[in-house]
Amino acid sequence: MQADYVIIGAGSAGCAMAYRLSEAGRSVLVIEHGGSDAGPFIQMPAALSYPMNMGMYDWGFQTEPEPHLGGRTLVTPRGKVIGGSSSINGMVYVRGHARDFDHWAESGADGWAYADVLPYFKRMENWHDGGHGGDPAWRGNDGPLHVTRGSRSNPLHAAFVEAGREAGYQVTGDYNGQQQEGFGPFEQTVWQGRRWSAANAYLKPALKRDNCDLIRALARKIVIEDGRATGVEVERGGKIEVVRANAEVIIAASSINSPKLLMLSGIGPAAHLAEHGIDVVADRAGVGQNLQDHLEVYFQFAAKQPITLYRYWNLFWKGVIGAQWLFTKTGMGASNQFESCAFIRSRAGVEYPDIQYHFLPIAVRYDGQAAAEGHGFQAHTGPMRATSRGEITLKSADPKEAPRIFFNYMSTEQDWVDFRQCLRLTREIFGQEAMAPHVKHEIQPGADMVSDDQLDSFIREHAESAYHPCGTCRMGRADDPEAVVDPEMRVIGVDGLRLADSSVFPRITNGNLNGPSIMVGEKASDHILGRAPLPRSNDAPWIHPDWQNSQR
């Protein structure tokens, strides 16, 4: 078993690289521990709460007890299936803000500024605005990744956007175009009623080529000979074997499993590797460090009118919706129901949005538990750029054991200040005239939760991960002791080894991470193939003209 390129992980970035490298005529072998994505639980967009709670599709990771969240242990779903987490996520499509990528470049990721990455976002997209406005010049229309918009037929979507406008915020027709800041329509990776995962967009077309293959196996470690990665040791069917890479090994195993695999292979903080009896190949202090995520709360309201999705929250309607989707790929089952959103700034002096809203016309949790109140709606919200940092470390040298995941959420005072501000701004938005016909009362936090201490206790008890872990193999300059990969995705200190997935993000981007993760795979492909990057873009993003003095 050998190929020019051996890719570990059929997730968002791995699928994109398999597609582009095989398209260029190279032989590619993808190693994936998970199985098939067939079946309605993954392919039906409205069923999104199921796959991330199923051991068949999810690695089942959990955090260590989080000391600043009352010692709670949080679930950390990661896709164990072709398509990786793009097969179990909420299908929300956000590129990130232009300034996120400019910050990457400023922190040592040369060639990854917004002007550099925008052409790759365009290359990967096949954008359909459905006649709802948008910025066609900023979007791609012939890439593998279909991006669409929901119908927004529920009147609550319009009410939410109008409430934002009444509160003095911007309205934007395309947050993935020139102007992210403001209230407007959400975008989803759904096409013709199906989840358009990286598996559907990239991997399945690549596997139709003679030079691309997939094997189901657990990657145990990278085989390194004389300082060069030459293959991958895998376990398959109870047997241990080696898959050989003629050109390079590429790790794309997630921000949880990629650093784990590096450490198992002797690449990481020397003292930590020694604790587990692992011989050091490259002493890289940054492996597993810099772990980041988005933390959010579900801000819930009881509804005055019975127009929410709660009326479908029973076995009869679920059966009807499921049947309609199975036979026609239309109806309620064909949307993730996240159809309106907002990105706002928390205060004057913040240059670009640092709070995101996912609006949902039902009060429900990710695990599928509906609010006891019945009809309701909610906004998932939280700060975008937390200052807390965590780490991924090994529990043992056993490749089958999950790593130790410690986010260290809310470990800085600034994170508490930002989260309280987010909750107060949210309450103000839902207090606008446009929401008056709809808001019966606040379910949570509850209108009586107003002081700093009360809001803090709510955050401590109810904040949940938005499932956006990243940053654990940070990209930077080759002479940066904390960097793990250079700006061409080469693992520093080992030849013939690259790493490309959300691990490489120097800092978390605004919004959901699937889009930027696929973009990293797209751009990495050109670096791997030795091609000149796509020409830089001259498009200037919209920044609030009075951001220094005005919050909105």
Side-chain angles (χ1 to χ4, degrees), residues 49 309-315 317-318 362 364 368-370:
S49 68
L309 301 182
Y310 183 73
R311 65 182 134 157
Y312 304 111
W313 213 252
N314 57 60
L315 279 176
W317 275 110
K318 284 181 179 178
I362 184 172
V364 69
Q369 298 298 308

Side-chain angles (χ1 to χ4, degrees), residues 112-385:
W112 290 80
Y114 184 62
D116 302 301
V117 303
L118 179 56
Y120 288 95
F121 279 117
K122 289 184 178 180
R123 181 170 90 177
M124 71 195 227
E125 285 176 357
N126 194 332
W127 178 68
H128 312 265
D129 74 338
H132 296 303
D135 293 344
W138 289 70
R139 309 305 298 269
N141 54 22
D142 56 2
L145 188 74
H146 288 286
V147 177
T148 58
R149 297 178 172 196
S151 66
R152 300 174 83 207
S153 53
N154 191 300
L156 284 161
H157 288 296
F160 174 69
V161 173
E162 179 58 18
R165 194 190 63 76
E166 286 176 354
Y169 293 102
Q170 299 285 322
V171 171
T172 179
D174 188 356
Y175 64 86
N176 281 318
Q178 184 173 18
Q179 179 179 336
Q180 187 190 68
E181 188 168 334
F183 285 67
F186 232 163
E187 298 193 333
Q188 45 187 274
T189 49
V190 172
W191 178 235
Q192 293 178 337
R194 288 170 62 216
R195 173 191 291 273
W196 203 246
S197 64
N200 284 334
Y202 288 96
L203 185 63
K204 289 170 188 176
L207 291 173
K208 289 184 177 147
R209 301 174 182 142
D210 293 339
N211 58 339
C212 185
D213 283 305
L214 173 79
I215 64 162
R216 285 195 62 185
L218 175 69
R220 292 169 50 87
K221 67 177 182 181
I222 313 301
V223 177
I224 299 167
E225 299 167 340
D226 300 324
R228 182 175 185 86
T230 58
V232 184
E233 182 183 286
V234 301
E235 181 176 334
R236 156 166 100 134
K239 288 208 247 335
I240 292 174
E241 48 196 315
V242 172
V243 181
R244 291 274 167 197
N246 302 328
E248 290 185 324
V249 174
I250 304 162
I251 303 175
S254 84
S255 58
I256 311 293
N257 278 327
S258 291
K260 172 189 162 183
L261 202 50
L262 284 181
M263 290 187 277
L264 289 173
S265 310
I267 304 158
H272 179 59
L273 301 183
E275 280 171 35
H276 296 290
I278 298 169
D279 293 337
V280 178
V281 173
D283 179 7
R284 300 305 302 176
V287 174
Q289 301 301 301
N290 192 45
L291 174 61
Q292 299 161 63
D293 190 17
H294 289 140
L295 203 59
E296 64 182 15
V297 296
Y298 307 153
F299 213 116
Q300 297 182 328
F301 297 87
K304 279 182 182 170
Q305 303 179 47
I307 57 172
T308 76
L309 301 182
Y310 183 73
R311 65 182 134 157
Y312 304 111
W313 213 252
N314 57 60
L315 279 176
F316 172 76
W317 275 110
K318 284 181 179 178
V320 171
I321 290 165
Q324 182 183 10
W325 181 84
L326 274 172
F327 293 115
T328 68
K329 300 292 182 285
T330 61
M332 301 277 298
S335 170
N336 61 5
Q337 306 307 329
F338 290 116
E339 298 180 358
S340 291
C341 69
F343 293 89
I344 66 171
R345 293 177 300 111
S346 61
R347 55 180 64 85
V350 173
E351 187 188 11
Y352 66 101
D354 58 343
I355 294 172
Q356 179 187 15
Y357 292 98
H358 295 67
F359 180 75
L360 194 60
I362 184 172
V364 69
R365 289 165 50 94
Y366 258 136
D367 60 11
Q369 298 298 308
E373 305 267 348
H375 277 285
F377 45 88
Q378 70 193 30
H380 299 199
T381 189
M384 288 288 97
R385 292 189 287 285

Side-chain angles (χ1 to χ4, degrees), residues 89-102:
N89 70 358
M91 291 155 284
V92 171
Y93 181 74
V94 184
R95 286 173 167 180
H97 194 282
R99 288 285 185 262
D100 290 326
F101 303 104
D102 293 343

